Amino acid sequence: MENKLYERQTALVEANIKWLRQVQAIIQEIDDQTFSTSPQSLVPHRVGGHLRHIMEFYECFLDGLSTSHIDYDARKRDEAVERSRAAAAVKIGFILHRLETTASLRGDCIVWVRLEGYGYLTSSVGRELHVLSSHTVHHFALIAMTLKAHGVAVDPDFGMAPSTLRYLAARAAA
C-alpha cells in the first residue's frame, strides 16, 4: 500500500514537472515583446502575467508545506517575473528544483488550505498537487490563446487537459 502511495505521489509531482518544462521551452522560443505584451484582441492577457500567476501558486504551495498551512492568496505578485523572460526562467528553475528535491511531496499528508472567506479547510499534499496541475493546464490554455493571437505557432496539445487528450485519442482510434 505504501509503495502505491509513493508511486501516485511521484506521478503527480512528475506531471507538474512536465508542465513546467513545457513552458520553460516555450519562453525560450519567444521574444520579450511576445512574453510581456497583450495582443490587441486579448487585453489584458499576457504570457508573462499568466506564468507569474502559475509560479506564485507553486510557491505558496511549497512554502506552506513546512507548516502544513497553504494560502494561495498570499502570493508575492512579483511583476519582474511577468515582464522578464530571464526572471521567469529563474523562477521556473527554482520551482522545478523544489519539486524535484522536496521529499515530503512523495508522501501524502494532511494540509490546511486557506479559502478566502472560509478560513482553513483540510486537503492533502496529493490533492493540492492535482489542483496545481489542473490550474497550470488551465492557464496554459490561456497562454496558448495569447501566443496564437501574437501569431506564434503552438503545439495543439499545449493547454489541453490530459483527460481531454485521452478522450480525443480514443475517439480518433475508434
Side-chain angles (χ1 to χ4, degrees), residues 119-149:
Y120 283 91
L121 298 176
T122 57
S123 185
S124 70
V125 169
R127 177 68 184 132
E128 294 308 306
L129 283 165
H130 186 265
V131 167
L132 286 167
S133 179
S134 294
H135 178 256
T136 298
V137 171
H138 162 74
H139 279 277
F140 279 8
L142 296 169
I143 289 172
M145 288 177 15
T146 303
L147 287 170
K148 288 174 188 173

Side-chain angles (χ1 to χ4, degrees), residues 32-54:
D32 291 327
Q33 181 78 10
T34 302
F35 181 79
S36 62
T37 62
S38 299
Q40 191 63 33
S41 61
L42 289 177
V43 172
H45 293 279
R46 295 174 318 282
V47 171
H50 286 292
L51 189 55
R52 175 199 48 81
H53 178 77
I54 293 165

Side-chain angles (χ1 to χ4, degrees), residues 107-123:
D108 203 14
C109 63
I110 298 297
V111 292
W112 295 87
V113 178
R114 183 180 174 277
L115 300 178
E116 190 173 346
Y118 297 98
Y120 283 91
L121 298 176
T122 57
S123 185

Side-chain angles (χ1 to χ4, degrees), residues 34-111:
T34 302
F35 181 79
S36 62
T37 62
S38 299
Q40 191 63 33
S41 61
L42 289 177
V43 172
H45 293 279
R46 295 174 318 282
V47 171
H50 286 292
L51 189 55
R52 175 199 48 81
H53 178 77
I54 293 165
M55 293 298 99
E56 289 176 351
F57 265 65
Y58 279 102
E59 278 187 311
C60 289
F61 168 71
L62 291 163
D63 290 348
L65 289 177
S66 62
T67 62
S68 297
H69 285 74
I70 299 166
D71 182 354
Y72 293 114
D73 292 332
R75 297 186 309 278
K76 295 175 179 90
R77 293 173 172 84
D78 182 357
E79 292 181 13
V81 172
E82 69 182 81
R83 288 192 310 262
S84 164
R85 289 182 311 128
V90 167
K91 183 69 71 176
I92 293 168
F94 184 64
I95 298 297
L96 281 168
H97 176 74
R98 290 180 74 186
L99 287 172
E100 292 165 344
T101 62
T102 302
S104 62
L105 295 176
R106 300 307 195 265
D108 203 14
C109 63
I110 298 297
V111 292

